Amino acid sequence: MNTAPKPAQVLAALLLCGLGARAGAAPSYPVVAAQSSLSFVGTQQGERFTGVFRTFDARIDYAADDLPGSRFDVTIPLKSLDTKSTERDQALVTADWFDVAHFPAATFRTVGMRTTPGGVVADADLSIKGRTKRIVFPFTWKAASTGATLDARVTLDRLDFGLGGGEWADESTIGRKIDVIVHLTLAAPAPVAPAGKVNGKLPPKH
Amino acid sequence: MALRSTAKGWGPVARAFHWGMLLLFLGIIPVGYYMTDLPLGLAKLKIYALHKSVGLTLLGLAVLRLVWRLGDRRPTLPPMPAWQARAASAAHALLYVLMFAMPLSGWVYNSASHFPLQWFRLVNLPAIVGENKPLAALAKEAHEVGALVLIAIVVLHAAAALKHHFVDKDATLRQMLPSKGDRR
């Protein structure tokens, strides 16, 4: 097997390095897991229920004055879901729903951020169960004495991700709209990446 | 038409409660045993929903029936040995207890399992306890044991009625049957 990188692969690697360097420009805020939550609200048989993902990995790079250098990158192991009902949790990991055996994690990656009259929104690719959908993700960023908080609420259509297709598609038993509620408590960002100093550049200031 | 019971027989309201609830009981019990082994899926969810809806109906009827019975009289018992009369009374008392205990233990099990409760897709009912796994397990156990006791008492009750009718040839069963005879 030929292991030498092809020119295209070299080019791709260089591009990725370039993107990485650019994305690293905004400070990276560590998530305080104990004070953060990723929850969702669905409707079952006429009643709302709340679930949480007990674990998730989030890389939050953000600077209000450097939206191109900001990015959110979140990976959610789906078997960490908890809706406070053993039966429902067991059902949600099966092939009809998250199909955790084949698709263990969901990912959320911003592809850009922009300022709108209502505030900053991110455009992001959300991948669940092998299906990727570009979503608009409005969020509220509040600087704290140390770190910051990030709050967001988006409504998803579960059928966009093949969650509960077939017989479950009829929403009289399980509603189609799912509200996802994000609350992140973020610690003070780590010191600016040393790579910037090596090159003699300071982080952009506006 | 007299709605109340008389010395000679149960009135139409008491009979309607008795036979109507028996019909629902004959439906809900097999469904209860059938549904638990179904694989997870929409069918299971819907059959559980039906079981719960009928159970809630039975609970509502039990309340109305008890209220009615407290204001109603009872027909005179045909002559029988005292132990039989006492056994009949005990069985009836136990049936009344189970009429409440069965739906309520189901409701506790449902609430403690953090499941929604809807009556025939029309009304949602509140949880009567908070989410609590050990309590859910206990309520489930009570519901299962209660079902077995209820089936046993119903069989005993029916056997006794048939014995009165065919062996003793007395009016016990006819007092409850929707027949013309022996009503007053």
Side-chain angles (χ1 to χ4, degrees), chain B residues 93-130:
Chain B
L94 194 50
L95 282 171
Y96 269 89
V97 169
L98 287 165
M99 268 183 240
F100 288 90
M102 286 306 291
L104 287 174
S105 60
W107 197 340
V108 169
Y109 175 40
N110 193 73
S111 299
S113 308
H114 201 55
F115 240 73
L117 186 60
Q118 204 176 27
W119 187 71
F120 293 109
R121 292 201 173 177
L122 296 172
V123 190
N124 277 86
L125 291 148
I128 48 177
V129 295

Side-chain angles (χ1 to χ4, degrees), chain A residues 49-109:
Chain A
F49 69 92
T50 301
V52 296
F53 293 102
R54 293 214 167 281
T55 59
F56 54 92
D57 280 327
R59 174 176 172 170
I60 305 295
D61 296 353
Y62 185 73
D65 55 6
D66 183 16
L67 294 183
S70 300
R71 68 180 231 193
F72 305 152
D73 193 339
V74 186
T75 301
I76 305 133
L78 297 172
K79 72 171 194 305
S80 75
L81 72 84
D82 180 1
T83 67
K84 293 209 182 296
S85 159
T86 313
E87 294 81 0
R88 189 163 48 212
D89 291 351
Q90 284 170 351
L92 282 175
V93 299
T94 61
D96 281 345
W97 296 92
F98 284 115
D99 197 6
V100 168
H102 295 104
F103 305 99
T107 59
F108 171 92
R109 292 200 169 88

